Amino acid sequence: AESWLAWEMLMRYHGQPSGIFAADEFLAGRMPSRGAELCAVVESMWSLALLAQASPTDSQATKALDALEKLAFNALPGSVADDLWSHPYLQFANSIQATKGEADHVWTHD
C-alpha cells in the first residue's frame, strides 16, 4: 500500500501525460517542457510489475498494471528510435520531433 501511495504522490506532483514522471536529472514538476529519460520509463515499468506481484488484492494489482500499460503504450515508444537501436536522451510531452543540430540544452541555468 505504501509503494502505491508513493507512486500516486510522484505522479501527482511530477506526472506527465504519457504516464511517466518528469525527471531530467532531478524531479522536475509537471511542466511539459521538462522531460523524462528512457531509464526512468523502463525502471518504472519494472517496479510497477513487481508492485503488482506483491499487491495483496486484485484491485491494487490492477492499478499497478494499468499504470504499467500506460507507460508501455505511451512513454516507451517515445523513448526509443524506430529501429530500437538508439534513443533520445529525454522525451518531452510537448515535443513532436527530435532533430539534429539543436542546442545541447534548453535550460538557461545549465
XYZ file of all heavy atoms in Angstrom:
846
model
N 0.829 -1.201 0.000
C 0.000 0.000 0.000
C 0.865 1.253 0.000
O 0.545 2.225 -0.675
C -0.944 -0.020 1.192
N 1.963 1.236 0.754
C 2.826 2.411 0.810
C 3.527 2.662 -0.520
O 3.743 3.804 -0.907
C 3.865 2.275 1.944
C 3.277 2.395 3.326
C 2.646 1.085 3.811
O 2.871 0.034 3.163
O 1.935 1.122 4.811
N 3.876 1.582 -1.216
C 4.525 1.755 -2.519
C 3.586 2.417 -3.512
O 3.996 3.291 -4.286
C 4.980 0.398 -3.068
O 5.945 -0.177 -2.230
N 2.318 2.007 -3.501
C 1.358 2.615 -4.422
C 1.107 4.067 -4.043
O 0.980 4.934 -4.914
C 0.051 1.821 -4.468
C -0.881 2.418 -5.462
C -2.016 3.109 -5.202
C -0.719 2.454 -6.877
N -2.584 3.570 -6.367
C -1.798 3.168 -7.417
C 0.242 1.943 -7.748
C -1.954 3.394 -8.779
C 0.077 2.166 -9.094
C -1.004 2.873 -9.606
N 1.058 4.363 -2.762
C 0.890 5.749 -2.300
C 2.060 6.604 -2.794
O 1.861 7.725 -3.260
C 0.791 5.802 -0.780
C 0.711 7.191 -0.157
C -0.561 7.916 -0.589
C 0.773 7.098 1.357
N 3.273 6.068 -2.724
C 4.445 6.808 -3.204
C 4.333 7.067 -4.705
O 4.652 8.168 -5.170
C 5.718 6.033 -2.885
N 3.877 6.068 -5.478
C 3.717 6.254 -6.926
C 2.669 7.327 -7.203
O 2.871 8.188 -8.067
C 3.333 4.940 -7.586
C 3.102 5.072 -9.052
C 1.899 5.153 -9.689
C 4.092 5.195 -10.079
N 2.077 5.309 -11.046
C 3.414 5.330 -11.312
C 5.483 5.192 -10.074
C 4.089 5.457 -12.513
C 6.144 5.321 -11.279
C 5.453 5.452 -12.482
N 1.540 7.283 -6.491
C 0.489 8.281 -6.699
C 0.979 9.693 -6.374
O 0.660 10.639 -7.092
C -0.738 7.949 -5.853
C -1.542 6.794 -6.402
C -2.775 6.492 -5.569
O -2.740 6.682 -4.328
O -3.777 6.062 -6.167
N 1.755 9.843 -5.304
C 2.298 11.165 -4.965
C 3.289 11.633 -6.020
O 3.298 12.804 -6.397
C 2.946 11.128 -3.582
C 1.941 11.006 -2.463
S 2.709 11.011 -0.843
C 3.399 12.653 -0.803
N 4.126 10.718 -6.489
C 5.088 11.055 -7.538
C 4.373 11.543 -8.785
O 4.733 12.562 -9.381
C 5.945 9.831 -7.851
C 7.077 9.994 -8.843
C 8.098 10.999 -8.349
C 7.735 8.653 -9.093
N 3.310 10.859 -9.164
C 2.557 11.250 -10.355
C 1.756 12.534 -10.129
O 1.595 13.335 -11.043
C 1.631 10.114 -10.793
C 2.383 8.881 -11.265
S 3.671 9.204 -12.484
C 2.683 9.762 -13.846
N 1.270 12.753 -8.914
C 0.503 13.973 -8.630
C 1.366 15.223 -8.793
O 0.925 16.234 -9.341
C -0.057 13.927 -7.206
C -0.904 15.168 -6.875
C -1.482 15.138 -5.460
N -2.160 13.891 -5.202
C -1.917 13.107 -4.139
N -1.012 13.467 -3.246
N -2.563 11.988 -3.963
N 2.603 15.157 -8.347
C 3.458 16.346 -8.357
C 4.433 16.420 -9.526
O 4.951 17.494 -9.821
C 4.224 16.448 -7.033
C 3.298 16.630 -5.864
C 3.094 15.609 -4.954
C 2.586 17.810 -5.712
C 2.224 15.776 -3.892
C 1.710 17.989 -4.651
C 1.531 16.964 -3.749
O 0.659 17.125 -2.710
N 4.681 15.281 -10.181
C 5.670 15.265 -11.267
C 5.192 14.508 -12.499
O 5.959 14.313 -13.445
C 6.980 14.637 -10.781
C 7.555 15.325 -9.596
N 8.203 16.536 -9.679
C 7.539 14.994 -8.279
C 8.582 16.906 -8.466
N 8.186 15.994 -7.603
N 3.936 14.066 -12.522
C 3.430 13.229 -13.605
C 3.275 13.956 -14.924
O 2.967 15.143 -14.976
N 3.500 13.225 -16.003
C 3.349 13.718 -17.365
C 2.192 12.975 -18.041
O 1.799 11.903 -17.595
C 4.646 13.486 -18.149
C 5.833 14.253 -17.604
C 5.707 15.738 -17.874
O 5.438 16.155 -18.987
N 5.898 16.547 -16.851
N 1.650 13.490 -19.128
C 0.532 12.821 -19.801
C 0.841 11.393 -20.271
O -0.055 10.569 -20.355
C 0.245 13.725 -21.006
C 0.774 15.049 -20.635
C 1.956 14.789 -19.748
N 2.094 11.107 -20.543
C 2.465 9.775 -21.028
C 2.480 8.723 -19.929
O 2.630 7.539 -20.210
C 3.838 9.825 -21.695
O 4.824 10.191 -20.750
N 2.352 9.144 -18.680
C 2.333 8.197 -17.578
C 3.631 8.115 -16.808
O 3.718 7.432 -15.792
N 4.671 8.794 -17.284
C 5.944 8.811 -16.569
C 6.052 10.138 -15.825
O 5.328 11.083 -16.090
C 7.135 8.602 -17.535
C 8.452 8.324 -16.791
C 7.293 9.796 -18.465
C 8.423 7.091 -15.950
N 6.955 10.202 -14.890
C 7.177 11.433 -14.144
C 8.314 12.222 -14.791
O 9.214 11.654 -15.405
C 7.498 11.137 -12.673
C 8.544 10.075 -12.482
C 9.882 10.404 -12.418
C 8.178 8.743 -12.388
C 10.846 9.428 -12.251
C 9.128 7.753 -12.227
C 10.465 8.104 -12.157
N 8.243 13.535 -14.675
C 9.295 14.389 -15.226
C 10.522 14.286 -14.324
O 10.450 14.567 -13.141
C 8.822 15.832 -15.318
N 11.617 13.865 -14.904
C 12.856 13.715 -14.144
C 14.037 13.816 -15.092
O 14.639 12.827 -15.455
C 12.878 12.387 -13.407
N 14.331 15.017 -15.521
C 15.506 15.219 -16.362
C 16.676 15.560 -15.448
O 17.010 16.705 -15.243
C 15.260 16.285 -17.430
C 14.557 17.515 -16.890
O 14.597 17.735 -15.659
O 13.972 18.251 -17.680
N 17.231 14.520 -14.870
C 18.318 14.561 -13.906
C 17.853 14.857 -12.482
O 18.569 14.578 -11.541
C 19.423 15.549 -14.313
C 20.060 15.247 -15.646
C 20.708 13.879 -15.713
O 21.150 13.346 -14.686
O 20.747 13.323 -16.817
N 16.690 15.433 -12.319
C 16.096 15.618 -10.992
C 14.591 15.723 -11.178
O 14.120 15.998 -12.276
C 16.663 16.861 -10.291
C 16.458 18.140 -11.052
C 15.340 18.923 -10.826
C 17.386 18.567 -12.001
C 15.142 20.101 -11.536
C 17.196 19.739 -12.708
C 16.071 20.508 -12.476
N 13.826 15.488 -10.123
C 12.380 15.611 -10.244
C 12.047 17.029 -10.671
O 12.548 17.990 -10.104
C 11.696 15.259 -8.926
C 11.768 13.782 -8.555
C 11.207 13.555 -7.154
C 11.059 12.928 -9.571
N 11.215 17.150 -11.696
C 11.090 18.442 -12.367
C 9.687 19.027 -12.401
O 9.443 19.966 -13.132
C 11.623 18.303 -13.792
N 8.747 18.475 -11.671
C 7.409 19.045 -11.673
C 6.612 18.631 -12.894
O 7.009 17.750 -13.649
N 5.477 19.265 -13.100
C 4.552 18.857 -14.162
C 4.657 19.697 -15.435
O 3.846 19.549 -16.339
C 3.128 18.913 -13.625
C 2.916 17.966 -12.448
C 1.491 17.935 -12.061
N 0.727 17.417 -13.182
C -0.035 16.360 -13.157
N -0.175 15.684 -12.055
N -0.705 15.973 -14.224
N 5.621 20.585 -15.524
C 5.740 21.430 -16.707
C 5.997 20.567 -17.946
O 6.836 19.673 -17.918
C 6.879 22.436 -16.538
C 6.616 23.471 -15.478
S 8.019 24.569 -15.186
C 8.592 24.927 -16.809
N 5.302 20.812 -19.050
C 5.505 19.998 -20.247
C 6.868 20.212 -20.904
O 7.258 19.439 -21.766
C 4.371 20.434 -21.175
C 3.948 21.759 -20.691
C 4.240 21.791 -19.218
N 7.588 21.230 -20.502
C 8.918 21.454 -21.051
C 9.985 20.660 -20.303
O 11.160 20.748 -20.645
C 9.266 22.947 -20.993
O 9.294 23.384 -19.654
N 9.596 19.899 -19.320
C 10.547 19.050 -18.592
C 10.363 17.624 -19.071
O 9.258 17.169 -19.328
C 10.316 19.128 -17.085
C 10.413 20.531 -16.515
C 11.611 21.316 -17.018
N 12.876 20.758 -16.633
C 13.777 21.407 -15.917
N 13.536 22.622 -15.484
N 14.916 20.842 -15.631
N 11.447 16.902 -19.192
C 11.400 15.591 -19.815
C 11.641 14.433 -18.880
O 11.801 14.587 -17.672
N 11.675 13.251 -19.467
C 11.950 12.015 -18.749
C 12.919 11.181 -19.580
O 12.901 11.226 -20.805
C 10.663 11.233 -18.510
N 13.746 10.412 -18.897
C 14.731 9.572 -19.560
C 14.180 8.175 -19.798
O 13.275 7.716 -19.097
C 15.981 9.459 -18.700
C 16.676 10.774 -18.435
C 17.897 10.594 -17.559
O 18.591 9.576 -17.712
O 18.143 11.465 -16.726
N 14.756 7.474 -20.758
C 14.383 6.098 -21.049
C 14.551 5.226 -19.812
O 13.704 4.383 -19.515
C 15.218 5.547 -22.208
C 15.100 4.052 -22.503
C 13.673 3.684 -22.890
C 16.085 3.642 -23.574
N 15.635 5.417 -19.074
C 15.863 4.572 -17.897
C 14.753 4.748 -16.866
O 14.352 3.783 -16.209
C 17.228 4.837 -17.288
S 17.498 6.532 -16.739
N 14.217 5.945 -16.725
C 13.108 6.152 -15.791
C 11.873 5.388 -16.241
O 11.141 4.825 -15.416
C 12.794 7.639 -15.667
N 11.646 5.326 -17.547
C 10.479 4.619 -18.077
C 10.589 3.122 -17.811
O 9.694 2.512 -17.221
C 10.303 4.885 -19.591
C 9.177 4.046 -20.157
C 10.058 6.362 -19.849
N 11.689 2.512 -18.219
C 11.791 1.050 -18.088
C 11.941 0.625 -16.638
O 11.417 -0.426 -16.243
C 12.920 0.477 -18.974
C 12.601 0.708 -20.446
C 14.271 1.065 -18.623
N 12.623 1.408 -15.826
C 12.743 1.052 -14.413
C 11.414 1.223 -13.687
O 11.089 0.447 -12.780
C 13.850 1.875 -13.756
C 15.225 1.443 -14.239
C 16.341 2.363 -13.795
O 16.099 3.255 -12.960
O 17.462 2.180 -14.291
N 10.617 2.196 -14.098
C 9.276 2.348 -13.529
C 8.383 1.186 -13.944
O 7.586 0.686 -13.136
C 8.650 3.670 -13.969
O 9.364 4.753 -13.434
N 8.521 0.748 -15.187
C 7.741 -0.403 -15.643
C 8.088 -1.643 -14.818
O 7.198 -2.391 -14.397
C 7.979 -0.657 -17.131
C 7.386 0.409 -18.035
S 7.828 0.221 -19.770
C 7.022 -1.318 -20.163
N 9.362 -1.852 -14.575
C 9.804 -2.997 -13.767
C 9.260 -2.878 -12.345
O 8.740 -3.862 -11.788
C 11.326 -3.071 -13.766
C 11.877 -4.150 -12.889
C 12.529 -3.993 -11.704
C 11.829 -5.553 -13.125
N 12.878 -5.196 -11.188
C 12.462 -6.187 -12.040
C 11.300 -6.325 -14.141
C 12.591 -7.565 -11.948
C 11.429 -7.710 -14.040
C 12.066 -8.308 -12.959
N 9.360 -1.712 -11.759
C 8.869 -1.511 -10.393
C 7.366 -1.733 -10.293
O 6.877 -2.325 -9.322
C 9.217 -0.100 -9.903
O 10.610 0.060 -9.829
N 6.615 -1.268 -11.286
C 5.167 -1.468 -11.274
C 4.808 -2.944 -11.442
O 3.830 -3.421 -10.849
C 4.508 -0.617 -12.356
C 4.491 0.884 -12.053
C 4.164 1.682 -13.318
C 3.504 1.199 -10.940
N 5.583 -3.680 -12.222
C 5.344 -5.121 -12.358
C 5.566 -5.830 -11.028
O 4.779 -6.689 -10.620
C 6.247 -5.706 -13.442
N 6.637 -5.451 -10.335
C 6.893 -6.043 -9.015
C 5.813 -5.644 -8.016
O 5.390 -6.460 -7.194
C 8.271 -5.610 -8.502
C 9.472 -6.159 -9.262
C 10.756 -5.600 -8.675
C 9.482 -7.676 -9.240
N 5.375 -4.390 -8.089
C 4.314 -3.925 -7.208
C 3.031 -4.711 -7.442
O 2.339 -5.087 -6.497
C 4.082 -2.428 -7.419
C 3.006 -1.768 -6.575
C 3.309 -1.914 -5.090
C 2.887 -0.298 -6.943
N 2.710 -4.999 -8.688
C 1.517 -5.782 -8.999
C 1.628 -7.190 -8.412
O 0.659 -7.721 -7.861
C 1.305 -5.842 -10.507
N 2.809 -7.788 -8.509
C 3.008 -9.134 -7.977
C 2.900 -9.166 -6.458
O 2.428 -10.151 -5.884
C 4.369 -9.680 -8.396
C 4.469 -9.956 -9.872
C 5.866 -10.369 -10.282
O 6.759 -10.554 -9.454
N 6.074 -10.519 -11.578
N 3.325 -8.097 -5.802
C 3.322 -8.057 -4.345
C 2.026 -7.496 -3.761
O 1.867 -7.473 -2.545
C 4.506 -7.215 -3.858
N 1.115 -7.061 -4.600
C -0.124 -6.451 -4.120
C -0.990 -7.486 -3.410
O -1.163 -8.598 -3.906
C -0.909 -5.841 -5.280
O -0.187 -4.777 -5.839
N -1.559 -7.099 -2.268
C -2.375 -8.050 -1.509
C -3.757 -8.298 -2.111
O -4.377 -9.305 -1.812
C -2.488 -7.398 -0.130
C -2.281 -5.947 -0.376
C -1.366 -5.851 -1.555
N -4.248 -7.402 -2.951
C -5.577 -7.586 -3.545
C -5.495 -7.432 -5.060
O -4.576 -6.796 -5.588
C -6.586 -6.557 -3.005
O -6.189 -5.251 -3.442
C -6.677 -6.594 -1.484
N -6.475 -8.008 -5.726
C -6.530 -7.890 -7.185
C -6.718 -6.451 -7.631
O -6.168 -6.029 -8.647
C -7.660 -8.754 -7.747
C -7.342 -10.238 -7.677
O -6.164 -10.588 -7.482
O -8.286 -11.038 -7.821
N -7.491 -5.674 -6.895
C -7.732 -4.282 -7.299
C -6.451 -3.455 -7.217
O -6.207 -2.604 -8.072
C -8.844 -3.654 -6.463
O -8.452 -3.550 -5.114
N -5.620 -3.705 -6.222
C -4.344 -2.984 -6.133
C -3.393 -3.422 -7.239
O -2.678 -2.610 -7.808
C -3.718 -3.188 -4.756
C -4.484 -2.483 -3.649
C -3.926 -2.807 -2.280
O -3.236 -3.799 -2.090
N -4.237 -1.951 -1.317
N -3.390 -4.721 -7.546
C -2.547 -5.210 -8.638
C -3.003 -4.617 -9.961
O -2.180 -4.248 -10.803
C -2.586 -6.739 -8.690
N -4.310 -4.473 -10.141
C -4.848 -3.904 -11.372
C -4.423 -2.455 -11.549
O -4.091 -2.031 -12.655
C -6.384 -4.018 -11.388
O -6.740 -5.401 -11.290
C -6.969 -3.442 -12.652
N -4.397 -1.683 -10.466
C -3.938 -0.285 -10.551
C -2.499 -0.227 -11.047
O -2.160 0.581 -11.912
C -4.032 0.396 -9.187
C -5.389 0.804 -8.759
C -5.235 1.643 -7.500
C -6.430 1.592 -6.619
N -6.230 2.365 -5.383
N -1.642 -1.071 -10.476
C -0.233 -1.077 -10.877
C -0.076 -1.516 -12.329
O 0.707 -0.932 -13.083
C 0.568 -1.993 -9.948
N -0.832 -2.527 -12.734
C -0.730 -2.999 -14.121
C -1.299 -1.985 -15.106
O -0.801 -1.859 -16.228
C -1.425 -4.352 -14.263
C -0.721 -5.507 -13.545
C -1.570 -6.762 -13.587
C 0.659 -5.743 -14.113
N -2.322 -1.244 -14.712
C -2.844 -0.176 -15.575
C -1.797 0.914 -15.771
O -1.622 1.432 -16.882
C -4.117 0.428 -14.985
C -5.337 -0.469 -15.165
O -5.277 -1.407 -15.988
O -6.347 -0.223 -14.479
N -1.091 1.277 -14.699
C -0.028 2.282 -14.816
C 1.106 1.762 -15.690
O 1.661 2.502 -16.508
C 0.486 2.666 -13.430
N 1.440 0.473 -15.548
C 2.479 -0.134 -16.384
C 2.064 -0.112 -17.851
O 2.864 0.221 -18.727
C 2.722 -1.571 -15.918
C 3.923 -2.290 -16.512
C 4.386 -3.376 -15.559
C 3.664 -2.872 -17.860
N 0.814 -0.443 -18.126
C 0.325 -0.434 -19.508
C 0.378 0.970 -20.109
O 0.749 1.148 -21.271
C -1.105 -0.964 -19.541
C -1.693 -1.023 -20.929
C -3.113 -1.531 -20.939
O -3.894 -1.160 -20.038
O -3.452 -2.294 -21.847
N 0.039 1.976 -19.309
C 0.101 3.350 -19.800
C 1.528 3.712 -20.195
O 1.764 4.345 -21.229
C -0.434 4.314 -18.738
C -0.532 5.733 -19.215
C -1.213 6.613 -18.191
C -1.399 8.022 -18.742
N -2.098 8.891 -17.784
N 2.494 3.307 -19.383
C 3.900 3.550 -19.714
C 4.302 2.815 -20.989
O 4.976 3.378 -21.853
C 4.804 3.108 -18.564
C 4.791 3.953 -17.310
C 5.610 3.290 -16.219
C 5.314 5.341 -17.601
N 3.894 1.550 -21.090
C 4.296 0.726 -22.234
C 3.757 1.268 -23.555
O 4.439 1.198 -24.578
C 3.828 -0.708 -22.028
N 2.569 1.820 -23.539
C 1.961 2.280 -24.791
C 2.144 3.770 -25.059
O 1.955 4.217 -26.187
C 0.463 1.937 -24.809
C 0.213 0.487 -25.080
C -0.081 -0.369 -24.044
C 0.307 -0.015 -26.367
C -0.301 -1.719 -24.287
C 0.095 -1.356 -26.626
C -0.209 -2.214 -25.572
N 2.514 4.549 -24.038
C 2.636 5.988 -24.229
C 4.054 6.509 -24.031
O 4.540 7.288 -24.845
C 1.679 6.729 -23.288
C 0.245 6.431 -23.616
O -0.226 6.783 -24.679
N -0.444 5.765 -22.715
N 4.716 6.115 -22.959
C 6.049 6.660 -22.672
C 7.162 5.889 -23.372
O 8.110 6.483 -23.865
C 6.294 6.675 -21.163
N 7.064 4.578 -23.427
C 8.149 3.780 -24.006
C 8.365 4.050 -25.495
O 9.515 4.239 -25.916
C 7.908 2.291 -23.748
C 9.045 1.365 -24.138
C 10.322 1.710 -23.383
C 8.657 -0.084 -23.891
N 7.332 4.106 -26.330
C 7.585 4.372 -27.758
C 8.266 5.716 -28.017
O 9.037 5.845 -28.973
C 6.189 4.338 -28.382
C 5.387 3.491 -27.467
C 5.922 3.793 -26.094
N 8.022 6.709 -27.195
C 8.677 8.000 -27.374
C 10.099 8.030 -26.868
O 10.810 9.004 -27.045
N 10.518 6.937 -26.229
C 11.855 6.876 -25.647
C 12.872 6.151 -26.514
O 14.052 6.148 -26.198
C 11.800 6.173 -24.285
O 10.987 6.874 -23.394
N 12.416 5.498 -27.562
C 13.339 4.744 -28.420
C 13.095 5.104 -29.884
O 12.007 5.523 -30.260
C 13.186 3.218 -28.226
C 13.628 2.789 -26.852
C 11.768 2.768 -28.486
N 14.118 4.927 -30.688
C 14.003 5.175 -32.127
C 13.244 4.022 -32.780
O 13.076 2.952 -32.191
C 15.390 5.311 -32.744
N 12.799 4.243 -34.003
C 12.048 3.208 -34.721
C 12.823 1.906 -34.859
O 12.239 0.823 -34.850
C 11.650 3.708 -36.103
C 10.594 4.794 -36.043
O 9.917 4.903 -34.997
O 10.457 5.520 -37.034
N 14.155 1.994 -34.989
C 14.965 0.787 -35.165
C 15.324 0.114 -33.835
O 15.948 -0.936 -33.821
C 16.234 1.094 -35.951
C 17.135 2.095 -35.234
O 16.842 2.497 -34.087
O 18.147 2.490 -35.846
N 14.940 0.701 -32.722
C 15.195 0.198 -31.368
C 16.680 0.127 -31.018
O 17.062 -0.513 -30.043
C 14.537 -1.170 -31.147
C 13.027 -1.216 -31.339
C 12.512 -2.633 -31.138
C 12.320 -0.268 -30.393
N 17.536 0.780 -31.796
C 18.971 0.771 -31.529
C 19.472 2.080 -30.930
O 20.614 2.175 -30.504
C 19.749 0.466 -32.810
C 19.730 -0.989 -33.124
C 18.860 -1.627 -33.959
C 20.575 -1.990 -32.582
N 19.124 -2.966 -33.983
C 20.174 -3.225 -33.139
C 21.627 -1.983 -31.682
C 20.796 -4.427 -32.822
C 22.249 -3.185 -31.376
C 21.836 -4.380 -31.946
N 18.652 3.081 -30.942
C 19.069 4.364 -30.374
C 17.878 5.002 -29.679
O 16.746 4.543 -29.823
C 19.614 5.286 -31.467
O 18.612 5.550 -32.423
N 18.169 6.037 -28.933
C 17.081 6.726 -28.234
C 17.479 8.167 -27.954
O 18.657 8.477 -27.783
C 16.727 6.006 -26.927
C 17.835 6.007 -25.911
N 17.979 7.013 -24.989
C 18.839 5.137 -25.679
C 19.025 6.753 -24.225
N 19.565 5.619 -24.622
N 16.500 9.062 -27.913
C 16.798 10.430 -27.490
C 17.077 10.421 -25.993
O 16.540 9.585 -25.257
C 15.516 11.204 -27.815
C 14.453 10.178 -27.847
C 15.102 8.905 -28.283
N 17.936 11.309 -25.559
C 18.268 11.341 -24.133
C 17.037 11.630 -23.281
O 16.836 11.019 -22.248
C 19.354 12.386 -23.878
C 19.822 12.380 -22.446
C 20.532 11.297 -21.946
C 19.532 13.434 -21.595
C 20.943 11.269 -20.631
C 19.942 13.419 -20.285
C 20.654 12.335 -19.804
O 21.055 12.303 -18.506
N 16.216 12.572 -23.727
C 15.000 12.933 -22.998
C 13.803 12.906 -23.931
O 13.923 13.223 -25.105
C 15.113 14.349 -22.415
C 16.144 14.581 -21.328
C 16.263 16.063 -21.039
C 15.796 13.816 -20.076
N 12.656 12.538 -23.402
C 11.405 12.686 -24.137
C 10.582 13.746 -23.417
O 10.648 13.875 -22.203
C 10.637 11.369 -24.193
C 10.230 10.841 -22.824
C 9.095 9.871 -22.915
O 8.063 10.190 -23.465
N 9.308 8.677 -22.384
N 9.854 14.519 -24.186
C 9.049 15.606 -23.645
C 7.596 15.435 -24.061
O 7.314 15.000 -25.177
C 9.548 16.958 -24.162
C 10.944 17.271 -23.737
C 12.020 16.876 -24.501
C 11.176 17.966 -22.563
C 13.312 17.157 -24.117
C 12.470 18.257 -22.173
C 13.537 17.850 -22.945
N 6.694 15.834 -23.200
C 5.267 15.723 -23.501
C 4.879 16.597 -24.688
O 4.000 16.256 -25.456
C 4.442 16.104 -22.280
N 5.553 17.721 -24.854
C 5.173 18.649 -25.919
C 6.146 18.644 -27.089
O 6.138 19.542 -27.902
C 5.036 20.070 -25.359
C 6.363 20.611 -24.879
O 7.326 19.879 -24.729
N 6.413 21.902 -24.611
N 6.976 17.631 -27.195
C 7.940 17.545 -28.289
C 7.411 16.590 -29.347
O 7.164 15.427 -29.068
C 9.285 17.047 -27.771
O 10.197 16.917 -28.823
N 7.235 17.091 -30.555
C 6.701 16.239 -31.606
C 7.787 15.652 -32.495
O 7.531 14.765 -33.284
C 5.693 17.013 -32.486
C 6.375 18.220 -33.131
C 4.493 17.416 -31.686
C 5.574 18.842 -34.234
N 9.026 16.169 -32.374
C 10.083 15.700 -33.251
C 11.429 15.960 -32.597
O 11.664 17.032 -32.048
C 10.005 16.439 -34.582
C 11.052 16.034 -35.570
C 10.892 16.801 -36.878
O 9.956 17.555 -37.060
N 11.815 16.602 -37.786
N 12.302 14.979 -32.660
C 13.675 15.158 -32.209
C 14.523 15.452 -33.440
O 14.459 14.714 -34.423
C 14.169 13.905 -31.506
N 15.277 16.536 -33.418
C 16.064 16.912 -34.588
C 17.524 17.071 -34.219
O 17.869 17.419 -33.093
C 15.562 18.225 -35.203
O 15.644 19.259 -34.221
C 14.141 18.089 -35.678
N 18.392 16.846 -35.183
C 19.822 17.069 -35.004
C 20.113 18.548 -35.172
O 19.386 19.269 -35.839
C 20.605 16.261 -36.031
C 20.498 14.778 -35.830
C 21.324 14.047 -36.863
C 21.197 12.559 -36.659
N 21.951 11.803 -37.640
N 21.215 18.987 -34.580
C 21.650 20.356 -34.769
C 21.027 21.349 -33.809
O 21.270 22.541 -33.918
N 20.244 20.885 -32.873
C 19.659 21.787 -31.876
C 20.671 22.042 -30.770
O 21.632 21.315 -30.611
C 18.377 21.179 -31.298
C 17.289 20.955 -32.319
C 16.742 22.260 -32.886
O 16.583 23.212 -32.107
O 16.517 22.315 -34.095
N 20.432 23.052 -29.980
C 21.309 23.350 -28.853
C 21.352 22.161 -27.896
O 20.385 21.407 -27.785
C 20.793 24.578 -28.117
N 22.490 21.984 -27.214
C 22.655 20.856 -26.317
C 21.617 20.864 -25.178
O 21.106 19.842 -24.785
C 24.048 20.837 -25.719
C 25.103 20.452 -26.766
O 24.721 19.813 -27.759
O 26.264 20.817 -26.573
N 21.352 22.049 -24.639
C 20.419 22.153 -23.521
C 19.459 23.322 -23.766
O 19.840 24.334 -24.332
C 21.161 22.395 -22.196
C 22.015 21.245 -21.805
N 21.503 20.082 -21.292
C 23.354 21.066 -21.866
C 22.490 19.248 -21.040
N 23.624 19.815 -21.385
N 18.245 23.148 -23.296
C 17.254 24.198 -23.442
C 17.076 24.995 -22.158
O 16.326 25.942 -22.123
C 15.894 23.622 -23.891
C 16.019 22.993 -25.255
C 15.363 22.631 -22.880
N 17.773 24.588 -21.093
C 17.592 25.258 -19.812
C 18.606 26.384 -19.663
O 19.773 26.244 -19.972
C 17.741 24.255 -18.673
C 16.835 23.093 -18.874
C 15.484 23.066 -18.741
C 17.218 21.794 -19.293
N 14.992 21.838 -19.027
C 16.037 21.025 -19.377
C 18.415 21.185 -19.610
C 16.027 19.702 -19.755
C 18.405 19.857 -19.972
C 17.223 19.134 -20.044
N 18.143 27.477 -19.162
C 19.022 28.654 -19.046
C 20.009 28.514 -17.905
O 21.011 29.225 -17.870
C 18.176 29.924 -18.822
O 17.369 29.742 -17.658
C 17.291 30.186 -20.022
N 19.779 27.634 -16.959
C 20.679 27.520 -15.812
C 21.800 26.532 -16.022
O 22.603 26.322 -15.145
C 19.888 27.173 -14.542
C 19.211 25.847 -14.604
N 17.993 25.668 -15.244
C 19.580 24.641 -14.131
C 17.645 24.402 -15.144
N 18.585 23.764 -14.482
N 21.898 25.885 -17.165
C 22.983 24.928 -17.418
C 24.219 25.637 -17.927
O 24.203 26.589 -18.626
C 22.560 23.890 -18.457
C 21.665 22.840 -17.836
O 21.506 22.850 -16.623
O 21.129 22.035 -18.611
